[in-house]
Structures are given as C-alpha cells and as structure tokens.
Amino acid sequence: MGSGARTAPTAGLIQRAISWELNAKLTAPKCPDDVLQALFPEKEARWLAAQGNRPIQILAAMRRVLHGQLRAGNLPPSVHRKLEEDIRELDLVAGGCERLFSSPVPPTMSRHVIRCMVLWLLGLPLVLAGTMAPIAVAFWVFVTSYIFVGIEEVGVQVEQPFEIVPMTQLCRIIMNQLEDAFLQPPPELCA
C-alpha cells in the first residue's frame, strides 16, 4: 500500500478533528481529550491537547499532510492548490466563528433596550385609555407586550448563536460524511 493510500484516512481524521474542536471552541471551554485520543496517535493527541488554539493547529496539521504528499509526488500541484484554498476557507470560517463567539453585546446595551421597552409598555395603556373600551386596551397591550418581549428574546438568542445551533449533531453528520468519503474506496473507473 502506497503512502497516498495511507494519507486519505489521515486527512479524514484531521477533518473530523477540526469539526469537533471548533464545536468545543464555540460551545464549551475545552474538547474532551478522549476525542483527540480516538482520532490521533497518542503523541499527537497529547501535543494537540496542550495547544491554546486547537482548530488552527489541526488546520496546520492538515497543511503539513498535504505538503508532504505534494513533495512525495502523490498529489498533483493543481489538486494541492485547490485543497490549500479549501483549507484557507476553513481557516476563515473558524476565524469568523471565533470572532462571533468572542464579541459579546455590551450588557449596558441590552439593559437599556429592556428598560426602554418596559417604559413603553407601561405607558401604552395610559395612551390608549381614552380611545377604546378597557377590555380592548387590555387585549392590545397584551398583544403588543407579547410581540415586543418575543422580539427582545430572539435578540438575546441571536447574540449567542452557538448556544442554539445543534453543533454536536452537525459534527456527527460531518464525521459520517467523511467516513463515507475517505474510508470507502471509490470503484475503479474504466479507461
């Protein structure tokens, strides 16, 4: 079995690791080290576990594997260039996700929004009191309050999108697709 045949599973393991590590970076303080130990040899797993920014280090490992295959002659330069562009794009996605995760909305802003909304909702019945029946005022104040409080709650959830996105399920889907792509060799094509 040639070096290129062993590289496909290695690249698949590295791609699985990036999904789990990015998930951990965005939703939890640290990815469990047993995930790294299941995907990498012990020495590499220990080294990765000690790194501060694991997703970036895993992308660097992917680059090293691709560069090694290019030097060994197992990867044509055009394919290497395209794969390097894909890794760069993954790097940009990881950086964008990290910026979203680490850029919280200032608490003063959300407190101000809540205070203004409460004042507006408390003043609404006073403004509507002389214009319609008391039961209609109560109904419209309730409807308006429900809508505005719902909008504010959606805004709070949008501030931290990684808490509502099913990241673990996405990682499992990525793992299954990578296993299908890398662990099952394609059929021989007729010339």
Side-chain angles (χ1 to χ4, degrees):
M1 182 182 283
S3 175
R6 285 191 306 270
T7 302
T10 302
L13 291 176
I14 292 172
Q15 287 177 337
R16 284 192 261 171
I18 189 70
S19 66
W20 284 107
E21 286 297 331
L22 195 54
N23 174 27
K25 182 110 178 156
L26 300 174
T27 60
K30 209 168 188 186
C31 183
D33 291 339
D34 58 340
V35 171
L36 292 175
Q37 291 169 354
L39 296 175
F40 292 101
E42 183 181 343
K43 185 178 176 182
E44 288 180 59
R46 273 189 279 121
W47 182 82
L48 278 171
Q51 299 305 305
N53 194 335
R54 293 178 183 182
I56 299 302
Q57 292 300 330
I58 291 171
L59 288 173
M62 194 179 303
R63 283 187 171 106
R64 285 190 296 273
V65 167
L66 290 176
H67 187 68
Q69 290 304 305
L70 177 68
R71 278 186 305 174
N74 296 328
L75 195 61
S78 60
V79 174
H80 178 264
R81 189 172 32 258
K82 175 61 178 143
L83 290 172
E84 184 63 37
E85 288 172 8
D86 291 343
I87 292 173
R88 192 174 310 119
E89 197 169 315
L90 264 176
D91 198 4
L92 290 173
V93 166
C97 288
E98 287 182 26
R99 281 190 297 279
L100 273 174
F101 182 70
S102 63
S103 301
V105 174
T108 326
M109 190 171 89
S110 56
R111 280 189 221 126
H112 181 70
V113 168
I114 291 171
R115 288 177 187 147
C116 289
M117 185 176 62
V118 167
L119 285 173
W120 191 82
L121 291 173
L122 288 174
L124 185 61
L126 301 174
V127 173
L128 295 177
T131 61
M132 55 183 81
I135 192 75
V137 169
F139 173 76
W140 287 113
V141 167
F142 171 77
V143 168
T144 305
S145 298
Y146 180 79
I147 291 169
F148 277 85
V149 170
I151 290 171
E152 199 277 329
E153 184 61 30
V154 167
V156 168
Q157 288 185 352
V158 168
E159 289 174 10
Q160 292 298 325
F162 301 111
E163 292 178 9
I164 57 175
V165 173
M167 297 293 282
T168 303
Q169 290 87 340
L170 290 174
C171 286
R172 286 193 181 113
I173 290 169
I174 290 169
M175 273 186 52
N176 291 337
Q177 290 174 349
L178 287 169
E179 284 175 4
D180 290 346
F182 283 102
L183 299 179
Q184 297 176 6
E188 293 296 323
L189 300 175
C190 298

